[in-house]
Amino acid sequence: MSDGKGPLAGIRVLELAGLAPGPFAGMMLADHGAEVLRVDRVAAVTDAPRRDVMDRGKRTIGLDLKSPAGVEAFKTLAANADVVIEVFRPGVAERLGIGPADLHAVNERLVYGRMTGWGQDGPLAPRAGHDIDYIAVSGVLSMLGREGERPTPPINIVGDFAGGGLMLAYGILLALFERERTGRGRVIDAAMVDGAAAMVAMFYQAVQSGLWGPRGTNLLDTGAPMYDTYETADGGYMAVGALEPQFWAEMLAKMGLSDLPDRDDRANWPVIRERLAAAFRGRTRAEWEAVFEGSDACVSPVLSMAEAARHPHNEARGAFVEVDGVTQPAPVPRLLGAGRSDLAPATRLLDLDPWGLDDTTATALREAGTLA
């Protein structure tokens, strides 16, 4: 719910309810001032605010899109909107009568953002899938994990959120920018499989040129001892990213290790890793944090999510906020000097008149069970 602050103030977004990547894209827009109206099923709307983090700053209504009256009401909302976020399988929105052509007939300036796992076309387009499937087919999953072990999915970050929700939000901003020149909206086909592949664009050339080898044997995928995690005496972990020689030298000096073999010779990596592992097991995580405090060794504690919110650096930057008792990341990226939108949990939108539905029409739809 925009309070007039942020660069997207005045932009209205209709977000069709869906799984996490869609609401995440809507959250990114709401965080920067867009007025986001989540359109859910009638039965899903209750008096209580929606406390899902990704619904912060939004309003919500329920609408029966399987009824002609509900479809007409949605078209009215779309006629007064700037953006629609749609996350159905290809063809579903068209069958409901709210596809791009249907809505552009009432609002040619509308940006219609579509997000799916496989995209709007191609052999897999109508098939079901999840993040793990999309990053598997994109090639990303084959790169993740330790040497000699199965590929390890990084929860659902790469496909759903980075390749899906974030790419959709980016596409919406591109289309809104273009609309300033053309006066017309555009349809966005944001596919998680495409977005996931884009996340590792740098590595495609590296693999093809032979600079990147099998999973878990490379500089950034736990193959190298100078870029890995190490267990401490109390069961915690320290993350080491001492790639550059000067950072590596500082780390070894802090740890009191002066006789390690040459790290530029890969044959020495196993021995170096064993020595580092033994050294890190000699002290607790807190003790190592004290050792590396204020240094450029690129060594950091592996914090839990609860600890991250309390870390002095994150506290100083206000990187986390508390909304309705829930600690969560603050809006990003930061636009210095811009106001911050209201991050309160999503609540019901009772006045739809600014969206084109007057009180008489809205009352009739509510009484018919079409609108909640």
Side-chain angles (χ1 to χ4, degrees), residues 22-312:
F24 178 69
M27 182 196 81
M28 296 294 290
L29 302 178
D31 280 351
H32 292 287
E35 183 179 352
V36 180
L37 178 58
R38 175 185 169 94
V39 180
D40 212 327
R41 294 175 294 107
V42 171
V45 177
T46 65
D47 290 337
R50 290 183 57 87
R51 287 183 167 81
D52 190 305
V53 170
M54 290 181 293
D55 286 330
R56 67 189 187 189
K58 301 176 184 177
R59 298 286 196 180
T60 185
I61 63 170
L63 200 58
D64 181 5
L65 294 176
K66 293 184 178 180
S67 72
V71 169
E72 287 306 309
F74 188 83
K75 287 182 177 179
T76 298
L77 298 174
N80 292 274
D82 297 284
V83 178
V84 163
I85 293 177
E86 179 255 290
V87 292
F88 302 147
R89 288 202 204 188
V92 171
E94 283 81 358
R95 290 196 294 273
L96 291 172
I98 57 171
D102 302 304
L103 301 190
H104 279 151
V106 299
N107 183 0
E108 67 174 9
R109 291 176 53 82
L110 186 71
V111 172
Y112 197 108
R114 320 191 81 167
M115 181 170 55
T116 57
W118 302 116
Q120 296 297 314
D121 54 26
L124 293 176
R127 303 277 73 84
H130 280 294
D131 179 287
I132 194 170
D133 304 300
Y134 312 137
I135 66 173
V137 173
S138 71
V140 175
L141 186 54
S142 70
M143 305 175 66
L144 307 179
R146 293 187 178 274
E147 182 181 11
E149 297 183 5
R150 294 174 297 168
T152 303
I155 53 180
N156 64 329
I157 297 172
V158 178
D160 281 356
F161 294 105
L166 191 58
M167 284 295 183
L168 177 59
Y170 175 55
I172 288 170
L173 296 181
L174 292 177
L176 287 173
F177 182 76
E178 181 190 47
R179 191 181 71 174
E180 293 301 303
R181 299 194 309 271
T182 67
R184 298 180 62 85
R186 183 178 290 278
V187 180
I188 301 160
D189 177 5
M192 296 175 200
V193 65
D194 300 344
M199 293 296 105
V200 294
M202 177 182 84
F203 297 96
Y204 278 89
Q205 180 180 356
V207 169
Q208 293 169 46
S209 64
L211 295 176
W212 195 265
R215 176 174 61 255
T217 65
N218 303 281
L219 192 63
L220 302 175
D221 63 358
T222 74
M226 49 277 198
Y227 203 86
D228 205 347
T229 57
Y230 293 90
E231 188 173 6
T232 59
D234 57 344
Y237 291 89
M238 298 296 289
V240 171
L243 293 177
E244 292 79 5
Q246 67 272 26
F247 303 149
W248 178 251
E250 182 165 349
M251 184 188 81
L252 297 186
K254 291 282 186 181
M255 298 182 73
L257 297 173
S258 58
D259 59 345
L260 290 184
D262 183 10
R263 71 174 196 169
D264 290 334
D265 185 348
R266 283 179 175 246
N268 293 329
W269 283 6
V271 173
I272 295 174
R273 188 186 304 279
E274 289 177 6
R275 293 283 304 278
L276 289 178
F280 276 111
R281 283 196 297 268
R283 300 188 187 185
T284 66
R285 196 189 76 179
E287 290 173 329
W288 283 120
E289 288 183 62
V291 167
F292 290 107
E293 178 71 26
S295 82
D296 274 343
C298 300
V299 180
S300 304
V302 178
L303 303 180
S304 69
M305 296 180 76
E307 290 174 318
R310 300 192 300 269
H311 189 276

